[in-house]
Amino acid sequence: LLVTRNFDMSVGGVIALTGVLSVYFCQGVNVSDNPLANGLGLPYGVAVALALLCAMGVGGINAFFVAHLKVPSIIVTLGTMMVARGIAQVITQGAQRNTSLPDVFGVIGTLALPATTIKLSVVIMLVLVLVAFIFEKKTVLGRRTYLIGANAEAARLSGVKVTRHLTALFVLSALLAGITGILLASEFKAGVSNRALGYEFDALVVALLGGVNINGGRGSVLGMFVGAIILSVVTSASTGLLLSPDWQFILKGSVTFVAILAQRFALER
């Protein structure tokens, strides 16, 4: 999305909402006097599908306001982020849901490949990166994304359905955030309303470190993957150095400024 000069700041809220909904949909019906232990009792597959549909619904709302009503994306997605997280807090009553869940709920988040310690979630991530790379390099839709970022009006005059394309990108962004929420909820076997706080900022840092131009039209999937590795190394190093979370925020902010300045210097040359 950043390649098209649009932001999606709602990813953290969508992750939290999807995880909470997947738990709520799976929890047994009237199994306890505690309201946080009761849910809809749906099969796991149905619960995941419905939670992901809700995530895509948030993406659809973002697309409607941004692509159709031309409202700046950063304003819209900040609003949907708060709404999504607010709904998650209502469902969890400001706490978390982690009881009355079937055993299958925790499988996808903890399952590892045979004879290895590599989790299934890592495999899913690598598959998604590969699909995104192919989409970027080998498809017409991928090239149209860059064209929209470089000049949306020129793309429209060239026959690109810009509104429809942006709608698909916002829905896809929400779907990917929803998948992340499902995996995290499964790993910890809990739906937590304050999960993924600050993830939208991390996503922006990863994109900038990966060489995505904040003005659109430039960037790559491989670059963002490298950016994610860099941020992970920086975070792990700061944790190993016993830096407090407060100082880690300062470090991430400093990395963001350095990335922006380096990008501006490279573009001017």
Side-chain angles (χ1 to χ4, degrees):
L1 271 173
L2 199 57
V3 171
T4 65
R5 302 188 185 187
N6 288 290
F7 295 84
D8 189 356
M9 307 301 288
S10 66
V11 289
V14 172
I15 289 172
L17 176 62
T18 309
V20 167
L21 286 177
S22 66
V23 171
Y24 174 64
F25 291 154
C26 268
Q27 286 180 305
V29 180
N30 297 325
V31 296
S32 173
D33 293 332
N34 181 1
L36 292 179
N38 298 319
L40 299 184
L42 298 176
Y44 180 66
V46 176
V48 168
L50 288 177
L52 291 177
L53 281 175
C54 291
M56 294 170 67
V58 176
I61 293 172
N62 290 336
F64 175 74
F65 280 96
V66 176
H68 292 270
L69 301 185
K70 309 303 180 184
V71 181
S73 59
I74 192 169
I75 297 174
V76 174
T77 55
L78 281 173
T80 51
M81 175 192 72
M82 297 303 296
V83 171
R85 196 172 293 281
I87 295 173
Q89 288 179 343
V90 170
I91 296 174
T92 61
Q93 298 181 16
Q96 61 177 302
R97 288 176 172 267
N98 56 8
T99 57
S100 309
L101 290 169
D103 293 336
V104 69
F105 189 90
V107 171
I108 192 172
T110 57
L111 184 66
L113 296 181
T116 69
T117 58
I118 301 175
K119 289 188 176 181
L120 179 61
S121 55
V122 176
V123 177
I124 293 174
M125 176 199 69
L126 294 176
V127 170
L128 290 175
V129 169
L130 178 60
V131 170
F133 181 79
I134 294 173
F135 173 83
E136 174 198 6
K137 298 294 185 182
K138 302 295 183 181
T139 67
V140 174
L141 294 177
R143 306 319 302 169
R144 286 176 178 173
T145 301
Y146 284 89
L147 179 58
I148 292 172
N151 192 322
E153 183 61 20
R156 186 185 67 80
L157 294 175
S158 300
V160 177
K161 293 179 172 54
V162 176
T163 299
R164 182 184 299 178
H165 196 89
L166 289 178
T167 298
L169 290 178
F170 273 105
V171 172
L172 179 60
S173 175
L175 174 62
L176 294 175
I179 292 173
T180 304
I182 295 295
L183 292 173
L184 288 173
S186 176
E187 180 179 359
F188 297 100
K189 212 169 183 180
V192 185
S193 60
N194 64 354
R195 178 161 287 149
L197 282 172
Y199 273 33
E200 49 281 331
F201 178 72
D202 287 349
L204 180 59
V205 174
V206 164
L208 292 174
L209 288 175
V212 177
N213 187 354
I214 201 168
N215 292 319
R218 294 175 182 269
S220 68
V221 171
L222 184 59
M224 284 185 284
F225 182 67
V226 173
I229 294 175
I230 293 174
L231 181 62
S232 177
V233 170
V234 170
T235 303
S236 299
S238 59
T239 302
L241 293 173
L242 302 179
L243 289 180
S244 68
D246 301 331
W247 282 102
Q248 290 185 29
F249 277 119
I250 295 174
L251 180 60
K252 288 181 181 178
S254 301
V255 169
T256 302
F257 280 116
V258 170
I260 292 174
L261 291 174
Q263 188 180 99
R264 175 59 61 88
F265 177 76
L267 291 175
E268 288 179 351
R269 289 175 63 88

